[in-house]
Amino acid sequence: AYEKDSDQFKFRYEIPKHAVKMGKLPLSGFLAVFDDVTTWAIVAKDRKGRAGVSMSLYGEMGPVGLATKDMNAGDVVQINAKVIKSGNVLAFAEAEAIDLQTGD
């Protein structure tokens, strides 16, 4: 949901069983969710509600938290996305994931 006061789009995501491969959620699976959530943030912020296509997508598992913990089916994370800059043609957004069980 878009929170106007914090200017962020927040989404709670429960890791589905079918997404976990070889004991953990692959980064590529997480990036697909990030792509959707950042797009929703851009649509919510854009006055015309325009959706778009991702031009570039980059992600890494941070130095703590998700990098050192395998994400298992049923784990819940909150993804916070924020639009950094929006123009007539392009918009830029960033996102972070927080493990709701540990706060990392």
Side-chain angles (χ1 to χ4, degrees):
Y2 181 70
E3 295 182 356
K4 200 169 191 165
D5 60 326
S6 66
D7 200 26
Q8 288 188 346
F9 189 90
K10 296 185 177 187
F11 178 72
R12 286 189 180 205
Y13 179 66
E14 182 175 337
I15 308 297
K17 183 183 259 185
H18 68 271
V20 176
K21 306 291 183 208
M22 298 188 312
K24 65 180 183 176
L25 177 69
L27 180 59
S28 59
F30 225 20
L31 284 177
V33 177
F34 268 61
D35 188 24
D36 285 345
V37 175
T38 54
T39 298
W40 299 334
I42 291 168
V43 170
K45 179 98 175 175
D46 186 66
R47 290 178 302 202
K48 297 178 183 176
R50 297 173 291 175
V53 176
S54 294
M55 301 287 291
S56 177
L57 189 61
Y58 170 79
E60 66 181 48
M61 299 300 235
V64 296
L66 297 178
T68 58
K69 178 185 181 295
D70 290 340
M71 297 303 295
N72 298 309
D75 287 351
V76 180
V77 295
Q78 180 169 305
I79 300 171
N80 301 327
K82 185 172 185 167
V83 177
I84 302 304
K85 183 174 179 155
S86 182
N88 291 328
V89 177
L90 292 175
F92 298 89
E94 67 180 8
E96 68 175 349
I98 299 168
D99 183 337
L100 292 180
Q101 184 177 4
T102 65
D104 291 335

Coordinates of all heavy atoms in Angstrom, one line a residue:
A1 N 0.8 -1.2 0.0 CA 0.0 0.0 0.0 C 0.9 1.2 0.0 O 1.9 1.3 0.6 CB -0.9 0.0 1.2
Y2 N 0.4 2.3 -0.7 CA 1.2 3.5 -0.8 C 0.9 4.3 0.5 O -0.2 4.6 0.8 CB 0.8 4.3 -2.0 CG 1.6 5.6 -2.2 CD1 3.0 5.6 -2.5 CD2 1.0 6.8 -2.0 CE1 3.7 6.7 -2.6 CE2 1.7 8.0 -2.1 CZ 3.1 7.9 -2.4 OH 3.8 9.1 -2.5
E3 N 2.0 4.7 1.2 CA 1.8 5.6 2.3 C 2.3 7.0 2.0 O 3.5 7.2 1.8 CB 2.6 5.0 3.5 CG 2.1 3.7 4.0 CD 2.9 3.1 5.1 OE1 3.9 3.7 5.6 OE2 2.5 2.0 5.6
K4 N 1.4 7.9 1.9 CA 1.7 9.2 1.5 C 2.6 10.0 2.4 O 3.5 10.7 2.0 CB 0.4 10.0 1.3 CG 0.6 11.2 0.4 CD -0.8 11.8 0.0 CE -0.6 12.8 -1.1 NZ -1.8 13.2 -1.7
D5 N 2.4 9.7 3.7 CA 3.2 10.5 4.7 C 4.7 10.1 4.6 O 5.6 10.9 4.8 CB 2.7 10.3 6.1 CG 2.6 8.8 6.6 OD1 2.4 8.0 5.7 OD2 2.8 8.6 7.8
S6 N 5.0 8.8 4.4 CA 6.4 8.3 4.3 C 6.9 8.3 2.8 O 8.1 8.1 2.5 CB 6.6 7.0 4.9 OG 5.9 6.0 4.1
D7 N 6.0 8.6 1.9 CA 6.3 8.6 0.4 C 6.9 7.2 0.0 O 7.8 7.2 -0.8 CB 7.2 9.7 0.1 CG 7.2 10.1 -1.4 OD1 6.1 9.8 -2.0 OD2 8.2 10.6 -1.9
Q8 N 6.3 6.1 0.6 CA 6.8 4.8 0.2 C 5.7 3.9 -0.1 O 4.5 4.1 0.4 CB 7.6 4.2 1.4 CG 8.9 4.8 1.7 CD 9.7 3.9 2.7 OE1 9.1 3.1 3.4 NE2 10.9 4.2 2.9
F9 N 6.0 2.9 -0.9 CA 5.0 1.8 -1.2 C 5.5 0.6 -0.4 O 6.6 0.2 -0.6 CB 5.0 1.5 -2.7 CG 3.9 0.6 -3.1 CD1 2.6 1.1 -3.5 CD2 4.1 -0.8 -3.1 CE1 1.6 0.2 -3.8 CE2 3.0 -1.6 -3.4 CZ 1.8 -1.1 -3.8
K10 N 4.7 0.1 0.5 CA 5.1 -1.0 1.3 C 4.2 -2.2 1.0 O 3.0 -2.2 0.8 CB 4.9 -0.6 2.8 CG 5.8 0.5 3.2 CD 5.7 0.8 4.7 CE 6.7 1.9 5.0 NZ 6.8 2.1 6.5
F11 N 4.9 -3.4 0.9 CA 4.3 -4.6 0.5 C 4.8 -5.8 1.3 O 6.0 -6.0 1.4 CB 4.6 -4.9 -1.0 CG 4.0 -6.1 -1.6 CD1 2.7 -6.3 -1.8 CD2 4.9 -7.2 -1.9 CE1 2.1 -7.4 -2.3 CE2 4.4 -8.4 -2.4 CZ 3.0 -8.5 -2.6
R12 N 3.9 -6.5 1.9 CA 4.3 -7.7 2.7 C 4.2 -8.9 1.8 O 3.2 -9.1 1.1 CB 3.4 -7.9 3.9 CG 3.7 -6.9 5.0 CD 3.0 -7.2 6.2 NE 3.4 -6.2 7.2 CZ 3.3 -6.4 8.5 NH1 2.9 -7.5 9.0 NH2 3.7 -5.4 9.3
Y13 N 5.3 -9.7 1.8 CA 5.4 -10.8 0.9 C 5.8 -12.1 1.7 O 6.8 -12.1 2.3 CB 6.5 -10.5 -0.2 CG 6.7 -11.6 -1.2 CD1 5.7 -12.0 -2.1 CD2 7.9 -12.3 -1.2 CE1 6.0 -13.0 -3.0 CE2 8.2 -13.3 -2.1 CZ 7.2 -13.6 -3.0 OH 7.4 -14.6 -4.0
E14 N 4.9 -13.1 1.5 CA 5.2 -14.4 2.2 C 5.8 -15.3 1.1 O 5.3 -15.4 0.0 CB 3.9 -15.0 2.7 CG 4.2 -16.3 3.4 CD 3.0 -16.9 4.0 OE1 2.0 -16.2 4.3 OE2 2.9 -18.2 4.2
I15 N 7.0 -15.8 1.4 CA 7.7 -16.6 0.4 C 6.9 -17.9 0.1 O 6.7 -18.7 1.1 CB 9.1 -17.0 1.0 CG1 9.9 -15.8 1.5 CG2 9.9 -17.8 -0.1 CD1 10.2 -14.8 0.4
P16 N 6.5 -18.1 -1.1 CA 5.7 -19.3 -1.4 C 6.6 -20.5 -1.5 O 7.8 -20.4 -1.9 CB 5.0 -18.9 -2.8 CG 5.9 -17.9 -3.4 CD 6.6 -17.2 -2.2
K17 N 6.0 -21.6 -1.2 CA 6.7 -22.9 -1.3 C 7.3 -23.2 -2.6 O 8.5 -23.6 -2.7 CB 5.8 -24.1 -0.9 CG 6.5 -25.4 -0.8 CD 5.5 -26.5 -0.5 CE 5.6 -26.8 1.0 NZ 4.8 -28.0 1.4
H18 N 6.6 -22.9 -3.7 CA 7.1 -23.2 -5.0 C 8.3 -22.3 -5.5 O 9.0 -22.6 -6.4 CB 6.0 -23.1 -6.1 CG 5.5 -21.7 -6.3 ND1 4.5 -21.2 -5.5 CD2 5.9 -20.8 -7.2 CE1 4.3 -19.9 -5.9 NE2 5.1 -19.7 -6.9
A19 N 8.5 -21.2 -4.8 CA 9.6 -20.3 -5.2 C 11.0 -20.7 -4.5 O 12.0 -20.2 -5.0 CB 9.3 -18.9 -4.7
V20 N 11.0 -21.6 -3.5 CA 12.2 -22.0 -2.8 C 12.9 -23.1 -3.6 O 12.2 -24.2 -3.8 CB 11.9 -22.3 -1.4 CG1 13.1 -22.8 -0.7 CG2 11.3 -21.2 -0.6
K21 N 14.1 -22.9 -4.0 CA 14.9 -23.9 -4.7 C 16.1 -24.2 -4.0 O 16.8 -23.4 -3.5 CB 15.3 -23.4 -6.1 CG 14.1 -22.9 -7.0 CD 13.2 -24.0 -7.4 CE 12.1 -23.4 -8.3 NZ 10.9 -24.2 -8.2
M22 N 16.4 -25.5 -3.8 CA 17.6 -26.0 -3.1 C 17.8 -25.3 -1.8 O 18.9 -24.9 -1.4 CB 18.9 -25.8 -4.0 CG 18.8 -26.6 -5.3 SD 20.3 -26.6 -6.3 CE 20.7 -24.9 -6.4
G23 N 16.7 -25.2 -1.0 CA 16.8 -24.7 0.4 C 16.7 -23.2 0.6 O 16.6 -22.8 1.7
K24 N 16.7 -22.4 -0.5 CA 16.6 -21.0 -0.3 C 15.9 -20.3 -1.5 O 15.8 -20.9 -2.6 CB 17.9 -20.3 0.0 CG 18.9 -20.4 -1.1 CD 20.2 -19.7 -0.7 CE 21.2 -19.7 -1.9 NZ 22.4 -19.0 -1.5
L25 N 15.4 -19.1 -1.3 CA 14.9 -18.3 -2.4 C 16.0 -17.7 -3.2 O 16.8 -17.0 -2.7 CB 14.0 -17.2 -1.8 CG 13.3 -16.3 -2.8 CD1 12.3 -17.0 -3.6 CD2 12.7 -15.1 -2.1
P26 N 16.0 -18.0 -4.5 CA 17.1 -17.4 -5.4 C 16.9 -15.9 -5.5 O 15.8 -15.4 -5.5 CB 16.9 -18.1 -6.7 CG 15.8 -19.1 -6.6 CD 15.1 -18.9 -5.3
L27 N 18.1 -15.2 -5.7 CA 18.0 -13.8 -5.8 C 17.2 -13.4 -7.0 O 16.4 -12.4 -7.0 CB 19.5 -13.2 -6.0 CG 19.6 -11.7 -6.2 CD1 19.0 -11.0 -5.1 CD2 21.1 -11.4 -6.5
S28 N 17.2 -14.2 -8.1 CA 16.4 -13.9 -9.3 C 14.9 -13.8 -9.0 O 14.1 -13.0 -9.5 CB 16.7 -14.8 -10.4 OG 16.4 -16.2 -10.0
G29 N 14.4 -14.7 -8.1 CA 13.0 -14.7 -7.7 C 12.7 -13.5 -6.9 O 11.6 -12.9 -7.1
F30 N 13.6 -13.1 -6.0 CA 13.4 -11.9 -5.2 C 13.4 -10.7 -6.1 O 12.6 -9.7 -5.9 CB 14.5 -11.8 -4.2 CG 14.0 -11.4 -2.8 CD1 12.6 -11.6 -2.4 CD2 14.8 -10.9 -1.9 CE1 12.2 -11.3 -1.2 CE2 14.4 -10.6 -0.6 CZ 13.1 -10.8 -0.3
L31 N 14.3 -10.6 -7.1 CA 14.3 -9.5 -8.0 C 13.0 -9.3 -8.8 O 12.6 -8.2 -9.1 CB 15.5 -9.6 -8.9 CG 16.9 -9.2 -8.3 CD1 18.0 -9.4 -9.4 CD2 16.9 -7.8 -7.8
A32 N 12.4 -10.4 -9.2 CA 11.1 -10.3 -9.9 C 10.1 -9.6 -9.0 O 9.3 -8.8 -9.5 CB 10.6 -11.7 -10.3
V33 N 10.0 -9.9 -7.7 CA 9.1 -9.3 -6.8 C 9.5 -7.8 -6.7 O 8.6 -6.9 -6.7 CB 9.0 -10.0 -5.5 CG1 8.1 -9.3 -4.5 CG2 8.6 -11.5 -5.6
F34 N 10.7 -7.5 -6.5 CA 11.2 -6.1 -6.4 C 10.8 -5.3 -7.6 O 10.4 -4.2 -7.5 CB 12.7 -6.1 -6.2 CG 13.2 -6.1 -4.8 CD1 12.9 -7.1 -4.0 CD2 13.9 -5.0 -4.3 CE1 13.3 -7.1 -2.7 CE2 14.4 -5.0 -3.0 CZ 14.1 -6.1 -2.2
D35 N 10.9 -5.9 -8.8 CA 10.6 -5.3 -10.0 C 9.1 -4.8 -10.0 O 8.7 -3.7 -10.3 CB 10.8 -6.2 -11.2 CG 10.7 -5.5 -12.6 OD1 10.8 -4.3 -12.6 OD2 10.4 -6.2 -13.6
D36 N 8.2 -5.8 -9.6 CA 6.8 -5.5 -9.5 C 6.5 -4.4 -8.4 O 5.8 -3.4 -8.7 CB 6.0 -6.7 -9.1 CG 5.8 -7.7 -10.3 OD1 6.1 -7.3 -11.4 OD2 5.5 -8.8 -10.0
V37 N 7.1 -4.5 -7.3 CA 6.8 -3.5 -6.2 C 7.3 -2.1 -6.6 O 6.7 -1.1 -6.3 CB 7.4 -4.0 -4.8 CG1 7.3 -3.0 -3.8 CG2 6.8 -5.3 -4.4
T38 N 8.5 -2.0 -7.2 CA 9.0 -0.7 -7.6 C 8.1 -0.1 -8.7 O 7.9 1.1 -8.7 CB 10.5 -0.7 -8.0 OG1 10.7 -1.7 -9.0 CG2 11.4 -1.0 -6.8
T39 N 7.6 -1.0 -9.6 CA 6.7 -0.5 -10.6 C 5.4 0.1 -9.9 O 4.9 1.1 -10.3 CB 6.3 -1.6 -11.6 OG1 7.5 -2.0 -12.3 CG2 5.3 -1.1 -12.6
W40 N 4.9 -0.7 -9.0 CA 3.6 -0.2 -8.3 C 3.9 1.2 -7.6 O 3.0 2.0 -7.6 CB 3.2 -1.2 -7.2 CG 2.8 -2.6 -7.8 CD1 2.4 -2.8 -9.1 CD2 2.8 -3.8 -7.1 NE1 2.2 -4.2 -9.2 CE2 2.4 -4.8 -8.0 CE3 3.2 -4.2 -5.8 CZ2 2.4 -6.1 -7.7 CZ3 3.1 -5.5 -5.5 CH2 2.7 -6.5 -6.4
A41 N 5.1 1.3 -7.0 CA 5.4 2.6 -6.4 C 5.4 3.7 -7.4 O 4.9 4.8 -7.1 CB 6.8 2.5 -5.7
I42 N 6.0 3.5 -8.6 CA 6.0 4.5 -9.6 C 4.6 4.8 -10.1 O 4.2 6.0 -10.3 CB 6.9 4.0 -10.8 CG1 8.4 4.0 -10.3 CG2 6.7 4.9 -12.0 CD1 9.3 3.3 -11.3
V43 N 3.8 3.8 -10.3 CA 2.4 4.0 -10.7 C 1.6 4.8 -9.7 O 0.9 5.8 -10.0 CB 1.7 2.7 -11.0 CG1 0.2 2.9 -11.2 CG2 2.3 2.0 -12.2
A44 N 1.8 4.5 -8.4 CA 1.1 5.2 -7.3 C 1.6 6.7 -7.2 O 0.8 7.6 -6.9 CB 1.4 4.5 -6.0
K45 N 2.8 7.0 -7.5 CA 3.3 8.3 -7.4 C 3.1 9.2 -8.7 O 2.9 10.4 -8.6 CB 4.9 8.2 -7.2 CG 5.6 9.5 -7.0 CD 5.8 9.9 -5.6 CE 6.6 11.2 -5.6 NZ 6.7 11.7 -4.3
D46 N 3.0 8.5 -9.8 CA 2.8 9.2 -11.1 C 1.4 9.8 -11.2 O 0.4 9.1 -10.9 CB 3.0 8.3 -12.2 CG 3.0 9.0 -13.6 OD1 3.8 9.8 -13.9 OD2 2.0 8.7 -14.4
R47 N 1.3 11.1 -11.5 CA -0.1 11.7 -11.6 C -1.0 11.1 -12.6 O -2.2 11.1 -12.4 CB 0.1 13.2 -11.9 CG 0.7 14.0 -10.8 CD 0.9 15.4 -11.2 NE 1.8 15.4 -12.4 CZ 2.5 16.4 -12.8 NH1 2.4 17.6 -12.2 NH2 3.3 16.3 -13.9
K48 N -0.4 10.5 -13.6 CA -1.2 9.9 -14.7 C -1.4 8.4 -14.5 O -2.0 7.8 -15.3 CB -0.6 10.2 -16.1 CG -0.6 11.7 -16.4 CD 0.1 11.9 -17.7 CE 0.2 13.4 -18.0 NZ 0.9 13.7 -19.3
G49 N -0.7 7.9 -13.5 CA -0.8 6.4 -13.2 C -0.2 5.6 -14.3 O -0.7 4.4 -14.5
R50 N 0.9 6.1 -14.9 CA 1.5 5.3 -16.0 C 2.4 4.2 -15.5 O 3.2 4.4 -14.6 CB 2.3 6.2 -16.9 CG 1.6 7.3 -17.5 CD 2.5 8.3 -18.2 NE 3.2 9.1 -17.2 CZ 4.1 9.9 -17.4 NH1 4.5 10.2 -18.7 NH2 4.7 10.6 -16.5
A51 N 2.2 3.0 -16.0 CA 3.1 1.9 -15.7 C 4.2 2.0 -16.7 O 4.2 2.7 -17.7 CB 2.4 0.6 -15.9
G52 N 5.3 1.2 -16.5 CA 6.4 1.3 -17.4 C 7.1 0.0 -17.6 O 6.6 -1.1 -17.1
V53 N 8.2 0.0 -18.2 CA 9.1 -1.2 -18.4 C 10.4 -0.9 -17.6 O 10.9 0.2 -17.7 CB 9.3 -1.4 -19.9 CG1 10.3 -2.6 -20.1 CG2 8.0 -1.6 -20.6
S54 N 10.9 -1.9 -17.0 CA 12.2 -1.7 -16.3 C 13.3 -1.6 -17.3 O 13.5 -2.5 -18.2 CB 12.5 -2.9 -15.3 OG 11.5 -2.8 -14.3
M55 N 14.1 -0.6 -17.2 CA 15.3 -0.4 -18.1 C 16.5 -1.1 -17.5 O 17.3 -1.6 -18.3 CB 15.6 1.1 -18.2 CG 14.4 1.9 -18.8 SD 14.1 1.6 -20.5 CE 15.6 2.4 -21.2
S56 N 16.6 -1.1 -16.2 CA 17.8 -1.7 -15.5 C 17.3 -2.2 -14.2 O 16.6 -1.5 -13.5 CB 18.9 -0.7 -15.4 OG 20.0 -1.3 -14.7
L57 N 17.8 -3.3 -13.8 CA 17.5 -3.9 -12.4 C 18.7 -4.5 -11.8 O 19.4 -5.3 -12.5 CB 16.4 -4.9 -12.6 CG 15.7 -5.5 -11.4 CD1 15.0 -4.4 -10.6 CD2 14.7 -6.6 -11.8
Y58 N 19.0 -4.0 -10.6 CA 20.2 -4.5 -9.9 C 19.9 -4.9 -8.5 O 19.1 -4.2 -7.9 CB 21.3 -3.4 -9.9 CG 22.5 -3.7 -9.0 CD1 23.5 -4.5 -9.5 CD2 22.6 -3.1 -7.8 CE1 24.6 -4.8 -8.7 CE2 23.6 -3.4 -7.0 CZ 24.6 -4.3 -7.4 OH 25.7 -4.5 -6.6
G59 N 20.5 -6.0 -8.0 CA 20.2 -6.3 -6.6 C 21.4 -7.1 -6.1 O 22.1 -7.7 -6.8
E60 N 21.5 -7.0 -4.8 CA 22.5 -7.9 -4.1 C 21.9 -8.2 -2.7 O 21.1 -7.4 -2.1 CB 23.8 -7.1 -4.0 CG 23.8 -5.9 -3.1 CD 25.1 -5.2 -3.1 OE1 25.7 -5.0 -4.1 OE2 25.6 -4.9 -2.0
M61 N 22.3 -9.3 -2.2 CA 22.0 -9.6 -0.8 C 23.0 -8.9 0.1 O 24.2 -9.2 0.0 CB 22.0 -11.2 -0.6 CG 21.1 -11.9 -1.5 SD 19.4 -11.4 -1.3 CE 18.6 -13.0 -1.0
G62 N 22.4 -8.0 1.0 CA 23.2 -7.1 1.8 C 24.3 -7.8 2.6 O 24.5 -8.9 2.5
P63 N 25.1 -7.1 3.4 CA 26.1 -7.7 4.2 C 25.6 -8.5 5.4 O 26.2 -9.3 6.0 CB 27.0 -6.6 4.6 CG 26.1 -5.4 4.5 CD 25.1 -5.6 3.4
V64 N 24.4 -8.1 5.8 CA 23.7 -8.8 6.9 C 22.3 -9.2 6.5 O 21.8 -8.8 5.5 CB 23.7 -7.9 8.2 CG1 25.1 -7.6 8.7 CG2 22.9 -6.6 7.9
G65 N 21.6 -9.8 7.4 CA 20.2 -10.1 7.2 C 20.0 -11.2 6.2 O 20.4 -12.3 6.3
L66 N 19.4 -10.8 5.1 CA 19.0 -11.8 4.1 C 20.2 -12.5 3.4 O 20.1 -13.6 2.9 CB 18.2 -11.1 3.0 CG 16.8 -10.5 3.4 CD1 16.1 -9.8 2.3 CD2 15.9 -11.6 4.0
A67 N 21.4 -11.8 3.4 CA 22.5 -12.5 2.9 C 23.0 -13.7 3.7 O 23.6 -14.6 3.1 CB 23.7 -11.5 2.8
T68 N 22.8 -13.7 5.0 CA 23.3 -14.7 5.8 C 22.2 -15.7 6.2 O 22.4 -16.6 7.0 CB 23.9 -14.1 7.1 OG1 23.0 -13.3 7.8 CG2 25.1 -13.3 6.7
K69 N 21.0 -15.5 5.8 CA 19.9 -16.3 6.2 C 19.2 -16.8 4.9 O 18.9 -16.1 4.0 CB 18.9 -15.5 7.0 CG 17.6 -16.2 7.4 CD 16.7 -15.3 8.1 CE 15.4 -16.0 8.6 NZ 14.6 -16.5 7.5
D70 N 18.9 -18.1 4.9 CA 18.2 -18.7 3.8 C 16.7 -18.3 4.0 O 16.2 -18.4 5.1 CB 18.3 -20.2 3.7 CG 19.7 -20.7 3.3 OD1 20.4 -19.9 2.7 OD2 20.0 -21.8 3.6
M71 N 16.1 -17.8 2.9 CA 14.6 -17.5 3.0 C 13.9 -18.8 2.7 O 14.0 -19.4 1.6 CB 14.3 -16.4 2.0 CG 15.0 -15.1 2.3 SD 14.7 -14.4 3.9 CE 13.0 -14.1 3.8
N72 N 13.1 -19.2 3.7 CA 12.3 -20.4 3.5 C 10.8 -20.1 3.2 O 10.3 -19.0 3.5 CB 12.4 -21.2 4.8 CG 13.8 -21.6 5.2 OD1 14.5 -22.2 4.3 ND2 14.2 -21.3 6.4
A73 N 10.2 -21.1 2.7 CA 8.7 -21.0 2.4 C 8.0 -20.6 3.7 O 8.3 -21.1 4.8 CB 8.2 -22.3 1.9
G74 N 7.2 -19.6 3.6 CA 6.4 -19.2 4.8 C 7.0 -18.0 5.5 O 6.3 -17.3 6.2
D75 N 8.3 -17.7 5.2 CA 8.9 -16.5 5.8 C 8.3 -15.2 5.2 O 7.9 -15.2 4.0 CB 10.4 -16.4 5.5 CG 11.2 -17.4 6.3 OD1 10.7 -18.0 7.2 OD2 12.4 -17.6 6.0
V76 N 8.1 -14.2 6.0 CA 7.5 -13.0 5.5 C 8.5 -11.8 5.6 O 9.2 -11.6 6.5 CB 6.3 -12.6 6.4 CG1 5.6 -11.4 6.0 CG2 5.3 -13.8 6.5
V77 N 8.6 -11.1 4.4 CA 9.4 -9.9 4.3 C 8.5 -8.7 4.0 O 7.5 -8.9 3.4 CB 10.5 -10.1 3.3 CG1 11.5 -11.2 3.7 CG2 10.0 -10.4 1.9
Q78 N 9.0 -7.6 4.3 CA 8.3 -6.4 3.9 C 9.2 -5.7 2.9 O 10.4 -5.5 3.2 CB 8.0 -5.4 5.1 CG 7.3 -4.2 4.6 CD 6.8 -3.4 5.8 OE1 6.0 -3.9 6.6 NE2 7.2 -2.1 5.9
I79 N 8.7 -5.3 1.8 CA 9.5 -4.6 0.8 C 9.0 -3.2 0.7 O 7.8 -2.9 0.6 CB 9.3 -5.3 -0.6 CG1 9.8 -6.7 -0.6 CG2 10.1 -4.5 -1.7 CD1 9.5 -7.5 -1.8
N80 N 9.9 -2.3 1.0 CA 9.6 -0.8 1.0 C 10.2 -0.2 -0.3 O 11.5 -0.3 -0.5 CB 10.2 -0.1 2.2 CG 9.7 -0.7 3.5 OD1 8.6 -1.2 3.6 ND2 10.5 -0.8 4.5
A81 N 9.4 0.4 -1.1 CA 9.9 1.0 -2.4 C 9.6 2.5 -2.4 O 8.6 2.9 -1.9 CB 9.2 0.3 -3.6
K82 N 10.6 3.2 -2.9 CA 10.4 4.6 -3.0 C 10.9 5.2 -4.3 O 11.9 4.7 -4.8 CB 11.3 5.3 -1.9 CG 11.1 6.8 -1.7 CD 11.8 7.3 -0.5 CE 11.5 8.8 -0.3 NZ 11.9 9.3 0.9
V83 N 10.1 6.1 -4.9 CA 10.5 6.7 -6.1 C 11.6 7.8 -5.8 O 11.3 8.7 -5.0 CB 9.3 7.3 -6.8 CG1 9.7 8.1 -8.1 CG2 8.3 6.3 -7.1
I84 N 12.7 7.7 -6.5 CA 13.8 8.6 -6.2 C 13.6 9.8 -7.1 O 13.8 11.0 -6.7 CB 15.2 8.0 -6.5 CG1 15.3 6.7 -5.6 CG2 16.3 8.9 -6.3 CD1 15.2 7.0 -4.2
K85 N 13.3 9.6 -8.4 CA 13.1 10.7 -9.4 C 12.1 10.2 -10.4 O 12.2 9.1 -10.9 CB 14.5 11.0 -10.0 CG 14.4 12.2 -10.9 CD 15.8 12.6 -11.4 CE 15.5 13.8 -12.4 NZ 16.7 14.6 -12.5
S86 N 11.3 11.2 -10.8 CA 10.3 10.9 -11.8 C 10.2 12.0 -12.8 O 10.2 13.2 -12.4 CB 8.9 10.6 -11.2 OG 8.0 10.3 -12.1
G87 N 10.3 11.7 -14.1 CA 10.3 12.7 -15.1 C 9.2 12.4 -16.2 O 8.3 11.5 -15.9
N88 N 9.2 13.0 -17.3 CA 8.2 12.7 -18.4 C 8.4 11.4 -19.0 O 7.4 10.8 -19.5 CB 8.3 13.8 -19.4 CG 7.8 15.1 -18.9 OD1 7.0 15.2 -18.1 ND2 8.4 16.2 -19.4
V89 N 9.6 10.8 -19.0 CA 9.9 9.6 -19.7 C 10.4 8.5 -18.8 O 9.9 7.3 -18.9 CB 11.0 9.8 -20.8 CG1 11.3 8.5 -21.5 CG2 10.5 10.9 -21.8
L90 N 11.2 8.8 -17.9 CA 11.8 7.8 -17.0 C 11.5 8.1 -15.5 O 11.3 9.2 -15.1 CB 13.3 7.7 -17.1 CG 13.8 7.2 -18.5 CD1 15.4 7.3 -18.5 CD2 13.4 5.7 -18.7
A91 N 11.5 7.0 -14.7 CA 11.4 7.2 -13.3 C 12.4 6.2 -12.7 O 12.7 5.1 -13.2 CB 10.0 6.9 -12.8
F92 N 13.0 6.6 -11.5 CA 13.9 5.8 -10.8 C 13.4 5.5 -9.4 O 12.9 6.4 -8.7 CB 15.3 6.5 -10.7 CG 15.9 6.8 -12.1 CD1 15.6 8.0 -12.7 CD2 16.7 5.9 -12.7 CE1 16.1 8.3 -14.0 CE2 17.3 6.2 -13.9 CZ 17.0 7.3 -14.6
A93 N 13.5 4.2 -9.0 CA 13.1 3.8 -7.7 C 14.1 2.9 -7.0 O 15.0 2.3 -7.7 CB 11.7 3.1 -7.8
E94 N 14.0 2.8 -5.7 CA 14.8 1.9 -4.9 C 13.9 1.2 -4.0 O 12.8 1.6 -3.7 CB 15.9 2.7 -4.2 CG 15.4 3.6 -3.1 CD 16.5 4.3 -2.3 OE1 17.7 4.3 -2.8 OE2 16.2 5.0 -1.3
A95 N 14.4 0.0 -3.6 CA 13.6 -0.8 -2.6 C 14.6 -1.5 -1.7 O 15.7 -1.8 -2.0 CB 12.8 -1.8 -3.4
E96 N 14.0 -1.9 -0.5 CA 14.7 -2.7 0.4 C 13.7 -3.7 1.0 O 12.5 -3.5 1.0 CB 15.2 -1.8 1.6 CG 14.1 -1.3 2.5 CD 14.6 -0.5 3.7 OE1 15.8 -0.6 4.0 OE2 13.8 0.2 4.3
A97 N 14.3 -4.9 1.4 CA 13.5 -5.9 2.0 C 13.9 -6.0 3.5 O 15.1 -6.0 3.8 CB 13.7 -7.2 1.3
I98 N 12.9 -6.2 4.3 CA 13.1 -6.4 5.8 C 12.5 -7.7 6.2 O 11.3 -7.9 5.9 CB 12.5 -5.2 6.6 CG1 13.2 -3.9 6.1 CG2 12.7 -5.4 8.1 CD1 12.5 -2.7 6.6
D99 N 13.3 -8.5 6.8 CA 12.7 -9.8 7.4 C 11.9 -9.4 8.6 O 12.4 -8.9 9.6 CB 13.9 -10.7 7.7 CG 13.4 -12.1 8.2 OD1 12.3 -12.2 8.7 OD2 14.2 -13.0 8.2
L100 N 10.6 -9.6 8.6 CA 9.8 -9.2 9.7 C 10.0 -10.0 10.9 O 9.7 -9.5 12.0 CB 8.3 -9.3 9.2 CG 7.9 -8.2 8.2 CD1 6.4 -8.4 7.8 CD2 8.2 -6.8 8.7
Q101 N 10.6 -11.2 10.8 CA 10.8 -12.0 12.0 C 12.0 -11.4 12.8 O 12.0 -11.4 14.0 CB 11.1 -13.5 11.7 CG 11.2 -14.3 12.9 CD 11.4 -15.8 12.5 OE1 11.4 -16.2 11.3 NE2 11.5 -16.7 13.5
T102 N 13.1 -11.0 12.1 CA 14.3 -10.6 12.7 C 14.5 -9.1 12.7 O 15.3 -8.5 13.5 CB 15.5 -11.2 12.1 OG1 15.6 -10.7 10.7 CG2 15.5 -12.7 12.1
G103 N 13.8 -8.4 11.8 CA 14.0 -6.9 11.7 C 15.1 -6.6 10.8 O 15.4 -5.4 10.5
D104 N 15.9 -7.6 10.3 CA 17.0 -7.3 9.4 C 16.6 -7.0 8.0 O 15.6 -7.5 7.5 CB 18.0 -8.5 9.4 CG 18.7 -8.7 10.7 OD1 18.9 -7.7 11.4 OD2 19.1 -9.8 11.0

